[in-house]
Amino acid sequence: MITTLSATTTDRIVSELIDQGAAAGRNRVLTLLVSTDADGLEDALEAAHGASRDHPCRVVAVVNPPADETAVGARSRDGHAPADSAGHLDAEIRVGHDAGAGETIVLRPWGQAAEHTDTLVVPFLLPDVPVVAWWPGQPPANPFDSPIGRLATARVTNTPSQPDPAEALAALAPVYEPGDIDLAWTRITLWRATVASTLDAVLREHEVKEILVAGEPGNASLSLMIRWLALRLGIPVGRRDVADSVGISSITATTEDGTVEITRKDASRVVITQPGPAAPQVVTMARRALVAIMSEELRRLAPDPVYAEVLAAFAKDHHGPAGSQIQDRSGARG
């Protein structure tokens, strides 16, 4: 069920939540704050609602107004407020099958109401549970110091959604704070596990001389995988861009006896080939949807020291001394 409130106030929204029996937020394990635009709202809520089935939560989505509100006109306000008004707040309350395992509050601030989004969401934060901020689209320049980020214990960005994911991640790296995470890192969890289990046996018998990671040009996950491998193995790790590929297409480790290669066969499987007569091994490793990736992050909710270390190396490559600053800061807070 979706209840629409036009030109409303936070007090009125709370009253409506009480009337619907959703104000207490019983059995919710967190509050998820979503900052998005109108075009990305429904996709973001689909992922949030799917993840809430594993992690029951209250979802509070703030829909940022277009950069040029005057170009939108009164239609965007459904005619209930004049186009020249200083600002107002529209809202939706979604419960039941429209809200996953919890309730969803969609806030649509206009004009001056959009200048202080933190004051808009505070009345809807559940007590005694973590607050997670998520930007499914364009992230703020500094998530930790943004209005919504300051309210959160964990801050999730999604640079894979940007036109140039690697450059977007590079822009975030110098302002990293413990509790920040990007879904470019979460996307390679299965790859890292597969590489670790494969190379563990290889390293007991062979010396790995170099590694080549191949895949999508400009992909931020490839950049992070390369830094992770280089840090863990202390050997050269190269990159090969493959046109029209999606994500990582292969990881090849060269030893004195031949190569070990993990290659994506299709969207569901990878093939592991090793030196010797043994036949290639086909392993299930499906590309995960956004809902599965978000569910993983909501399960963790703690600073990831490995991500901090890898991001510091990534930042050092892109920004010189800034990388050292990140490493010192994350290490100090350990």
Side-chain angles (χ1 to χ4, degrees):
M1 181 177 72
I2 300 178
T3 301
T4 300
L5 303 174
S6 299
T8 189
T9 64
T10 55
D11 286 345
R12 183 183 171 197
I13 298 169
V14 170
S15 296
E16 186 65 30
L17 284 170
I18 293 173
D19 291 344
Q20 297 188 16
R26 297 181 180 86
N27 302 319
R28 308 293 186 254
V29 299
L30 60 93
T31 303
L32 177 61
L33 305 180
V34 182
S35 179
T36 184
D37 57 21
D39 291 339
L41 174 65
E42 296 306 328
D43 286 343
L45 290 184
E46 181 180 1
H49 293 162
S52 76
R53 292 182 172 87
D54 290 331
H55 316 281
C57 61
R58 169 173 290 176
V59 178
V60 182
V62 179
V63 181
N64 303 310
D68 185 5
E69 288 188 46
T70 59
V72 181
R75 174 184 287 275
S76 62
R77 308 164 192 269
D78 297 327
H80 56 256
D84 59 353
S85 63
H88 75 279
L89 175 65
D90 295 338
E92 297 173 7
I93 298 173
R94 305 187 185 191
V95 297
H97 71 276
D98 291 305
E103 60 280 343
T104 293
I105 303 158
V106 179
L107 304 176
R108 301 176 185 268
W110 294 91
Q112 293 180 359
E115 295 176 1
H116 302 285
T117 53
D118 49 348
T119 62
L120 294 180
V121 302
V122 164
F124 311 113
L125 302 182
L126 295 173
D128 304 320
V129 296
V131 177
V132 180
W134 178 37
W135 294 270
Q138 176 71 42
N142 186 336
F144 178 79
D145 199 37
S146 66
I148 286 180
R150 286 192 290 267
L151 301 173
T153 52
R155 296 160 297 279
V156 184
T157 52
N158 184 29
T159 57
S161 70
Q162 298 305 293
D164 188 339
E167 192 59 36
L169 185 63
L172 290 175
V175 296
Y176 168 83
E177 291 286 346
D180 292 353
I181 199 76
D182 191 84
L183 296 185
W185 176 250
T186 319
R187 287 179 181 275
I188 59 173
T189 297
L190 298 183
W191 268 104
R192 290 192 295 124
T194 301
V195 169
S197 62
T198 301
L199 293 186
D200 182 61
V202 173
L203 289 169
R204 286 197 293 266
E205 300 180 5
H206 305 281
E207 178 185 357
V208 176
K209 298 181 179 298
E210 63 178 358
I211 292 183
L212 179 66
V213 180
E216 182 180 0
N219 186 280
S221 295
L222 261 75
S223 300
L224 294 176
M225 174 63 80
I226 289 168
R227 273 73 180 183
W228 177 71
L229 287 167
L231 287 169
R232 290 296 173 264
L233 299 177
I235 60 175
V237 180
R239 174 174 186 151
R240 179 170 62 88
D241 289 338
V242 180
D244 299 326
S245 64
V246 177
I248 297 172
S249 58
S250 68
I251 297 178
T252 304
T254 302
T255 74
E256 67 273 16
D257 291 334
T259 60
V260 178
E261 188 169 1
I262 306 171
T263 304
R264 179 160 288 287
K265 180 179 179 64
D266 52 37
S268 301
R269 299 170 295 173
V270 296
V271 177
I272 302 175
T273 305
Q274 304 200 41
Q281 179 185 9
V282 180
V283 177
T284 299
M285 192 175 77
R287 288 197 178 99
R288 295 183 299 169
L290 183 58
V291 58
I293 298 169
M294 275 302 295
S295 185
E296 178 183 332
E297 278 312 319
L298 296 183
R299 187 181 308 118
R300 187 176 1 234
L301 293 188
D304 186 336
V306 178
Y307 173 69
E309 182 184 12
V310 172
L311 189 65
F314 177 82
K316 187 175 182 180
D317 289 346
H318 282 77
H319 301 289
S324 300
Q325 295 169 11
I326 293 170
Q327 197 163 23
D328 292 343
R329 185 165 67 244
S330 62
R333 303 187 185 186

